[in-house]
Amino acid sequence: VQLQASGGGLVQAGGSLRLSCAASGRTFSSYGMGWFRQAPGKEREFVAGINWSGGSTYYSDSVKGRFTISRDNAKNTVYLQMNSLKPEDTAVYYCAASRGSMWHIRLNQYNYWGQGTLVTVSS
């Protein structure tokens, strides 16, 4: 599976962005998917996860209520809608796929990673 993240950019605080992660391969619909982020000088952290069907999602406390993860298995794509953005959301955002069909909060539970897309939120 190859993952291609896109949709990052520069936005003012309070604004919105939607990230997309397009996956290759016919088995996308069986994978659990996650979004992670890494700010400069910090470790990569979990942001949101979604199971294979979209019926189960999970968010970190820092984004709960502001971000929404979703997927379209017909398009082999997972999305991250980010609203009410804050300067502390500035980071490189990565999508990841897990063969286990569920979302996970630990990085080592994911088998495939995209290249990352930069989100910068100005104050």
Side-chain angles (χ1 to χ4, degrees):
V1 174
Q2 291 186 324
L3 304 174
Q4 181 73 39
S6 62
L10 174 63
V11 63
Q12 289 188 331
S16 298
L17 280 175
R18 188 176 82 154
L19 306 184
S20 298
C21 176
S24 64
R26 293 173 292 179
T27 55
F28 170 80
S29 61
S30 67
Y31 292 140
M33 299 296 295
W35 283 99
F36 290 75
R37 67 186 181 187
Q38 188 166 17
K42 295 188 176 181
E43 294 186 348
R44 194 171 299 187
E45 64 175 2
F46 172 82
V47 174
I50 189 167
N51 76 329
W52 67 277
S53 68
S56 174
T57 58
Y58 190 75
Y59 300 91
S60 67
D61 287 343
S62 61
V63 307
K64 195 175 299 181
R66 300 188 297 123
F67 291 10
T68 302
I69 188 171
S70 62
R71 67 189 296 160
D72 185 339
N73 287 340
K75 295 182 178 180
N76 279 15
T77 303
V78 63
Y79 304 97
L80 185 68
Q81 178 66 45
M82 306 186 294
N83 299 329
S84 302
L85 283 161
K86 305 175 181 180
E88 51 263 44
D89 295 317
T90 295
V92 177
Y93 283 72
Y94 299 88
C95 59
S98 169
R99 290 196 293 260
S101 78
M102 271 298 295
W103 48 262
H104 303 280
I105 62 173
R106 294 190 300 177
L107 278 74
N108 62 7
Q109 296 295 316
Y110 289 86
N111 306 101
Y112 308 99
W113 290 84
Q115 86 292 356
T117 184
L118 176 62
V119 172
T120 304
V121 184
S122 63
S123 57

